[in-house]
Amino acid sequence: MAEPRFLFLDDSIVPWSEGTVHVSSAAFKFGSSVFEGLRGYWNDADQDMYLFRMDEHMDRLTFSQRFMRFDEIYMPEFVTEKTLEVIRANGFKGENVHIMTTAYLKGGGGQGVTGPVGLAITAQERPRTAKITSGVSAQVSSWMRIPDNAMPMRVKCNANYHNGRLATVQANADGYDTAIFLNSRGKVSEGPGMCFFIVRDGQPITPSTSNDILESITRTTVLQLLAEMGTPAIERDVDRSEIMAADEAFFCGTAWEVTPVTMIDRMSVGTGALGAVTKRLQEAYFDVCSGLSGSHAEWRMPVYGNAAAKAAE
Ligand SMILES: Cc1ncc(COP(=O)(O)O)c(C=O)c1O
């Protein structure tokens, strides 16, 4: 896939090759940064791209910056405007993109406690892979999910992600696609970068937000879509052994969308194939992300404004 041509860094759009941060920055040395990963979905009929739940992502970016007590806060309006500029400057069309908006400590002093804040925004093409239908295998990790009173898992600070990286590296080394974390109470938490659901006897179940998980925007979306489908999910503690009793399991997140988990610890989940509830949910999710049927228009922000321009003709 070709490299994007442009990104945003601190105060301007610059060529991709100039997207550099100094090695003395606290972000580089200590991982002192917070971010949002979001997606832009191409809609062929509208000849437009839609940012999915941009406002919710921007609210969480503000919360993350405040929570980590950054001296300066990049506000939602500014980050949104610059994100749109980056996509338009690259002229992305006909493909889905993944966007990263990162607020980071530029200075190097004081062990990264304080200092000037910078902003980086990148967008890159990211098509779906075949695993979205065939499913992934997961290992219940021997790495524990970081407890909320050690690092705030509901905040998207980059340093949290080493926990997920270690679990993924271990899972890959052992022949699995990814991992499922248990928390300090031994309850199911989430995946390295995605939330987790099971379905038992047609009932969707997911760990509640007090299980050291990110308060995921996709999880909230999925909860709403499942309710609209007539199969509302239960949010509660989930035991390790319960996931082995599930008929279906899936991950959800901006990057993972709705991905079936067909094998856990080398045991098939249900039939070992995409299940009926997961399939219906996937269809509903892809529909709202790309705006195929027009439902939940409030979740989509147009990038180019082509559909609105056509409607006004
Ligand atoms: C740890 C973790 N859990 C869950 C998710 C899913 O969150 P969202 O749906 O807001 O992207 C993410 C990010 O994608 C994550 O990093």
Side-chain angles (χ1 to χ4, degrees):
M1 218 168 299
E3 254 179 17
R5 288 184 298 151
F6 300 105
L7 55 83
F8 180 85
L9 188 60
D10 298 339
D11 49 18
S12 53
I13 302 266
V14 296
W16 186 258
S17 58
E18 291 174 24
T20 54
V21 171
H22 203 272
V23 290
S24 70
S25 68
F28 180 80
K29 289 194 294 191
F30 308 116
S32 308
S33 46
V34 299
F35 75 102
E36 277 303 312
L38 52 135
R39 274 192 191 254
Y41 286 90
W42 183 252
N43 181 312
D44 241 347
D46 293 350
Q47 286 296 294
D48 213 334
M49 180 179 289
Y50 294 110
L51 302 184
F52 190 62
R53 307 205 74 164
M54 185 65 176
D55 292 342
E56 290 82 352
H57 281 284
M58 291 300 98
D59 285 348
R60 194 170 59 189
L61 186 66
T62 306
F63 169 67
S64 293
Q65 293 174 87
R66 285 194 201 286
F67 188 97
M68 298 310 281
R69 297 176 189 245
F70 283 9
D71 291 341
E72 304 152 44
I73 310 281
Y74 282 97
M75 297 310 282
E77 300 72 24
F78 182 79
V79 183
T80 300
E81 183 189 315
K82 296 305 165 193
T83 300
L84 291 168
E85 276 179 30
V86 168
I87 298 172
R88 290 177 192 143
N90 283 290
F92 290 120
K93 284 190 180 155
E95 191 52 87
N96 297 342
V97 297
H98 186 262
I99 300 144
M100 292 279 285
T101 60
T102 306
Y104 69 100
L105 293 198
K106 293 157 92 166
Q111 293 210 320
V113 171
T114 184
V117 186
L119 177 70
I121 305 173
T122 58
Q124 291 179 272
E125 287 186 353
R126 179 151 344 156
R128 288 191 180 119
T129 72
K131 296 217 165 167
I132 200 85
T133 316
S134 62
V136 293
S137 62
Q139 173 185 53
V140 176
S141 188
S142 57
W143 288 103
M144 185 181 81
R145 192 42 143 180
I146 303 172
D148 182 72
N149 60 352
M151 285 288 277
M153 296 315 291
R154 55 168 52 70
V155 172
K156 273 186 87 82
C157 62
N158 296 56
N160 282 351
Y161 283 77
H162 295 285
N163 187 217
R165 178 176 178 276
L166 285 171
T168 305
V169 167
Q170 182 67 57
N172 292 164
D174 292 345
Y176 301 87
D177 293 311
T178 188
I180 296 169
F181 279 113
L182 304 182
N183 62 19
S184 56
R185 295 185 297 117
K187 301 296 178 187
V188 176
S189 177
E190 61 175 349
M194 58 286 198
C195 287
F196 181 68
F197 282 71
I198 56 171
V199 182
R200 287 187 77 182
D201 300 325
Q203 172 65 64
I205 304 163
T206 193
S208 71
T209 51
S210 291
N211 279 290
D212 311 290
I213 69 170
L214 182 72
E215 290 180 349
S216 149
I217 293 162
T218 316
R219 179 181 176 281
T220 305
T221 305
V222 162
L223 289 173
Q224 184 157 345
L225 294 177
L226 285 170
E228 288 171 9
M229 283 163 49
T231 47
I234 300 173
E235 300 175 68
R236 61 158 168 80
D237 282 357
V238 176
D239 294 331
R240 176 181 185 151
S241 60
E242 192 177 11
I243 62 180
M244 298 313 200
D247 307 311
E248 299 179 37
F250 61 87
F251 287 125
C252 76
T254 295
W256 288 72
E257 303 187 288
V258 174
T259 298
V261 183
T262 46
M263 179 88 76
I264 298 174
D265 286 349
R266 303 207 196 288
M267 275 176 69
S268 292
V269 180
T271 62
L274 174 64
V277 175
T278 312
K279 185 167 186 290
R280 272 185 74 203
L281 174 67
Q282 263 192 349
E283 285 163 7
Y285 185 73
F286 295 162
D287 179 344
V288 293
C289 289
S290 302
L292 300 180
S293 72
S295 84
H296 287 295
E298 73 280 9
W299 289 345
R300 294 181 296 278
M301 180 179 287
V303 173
Y304 297 106
N306 288 340
K310 220 162 103 192
E313 271 171 16

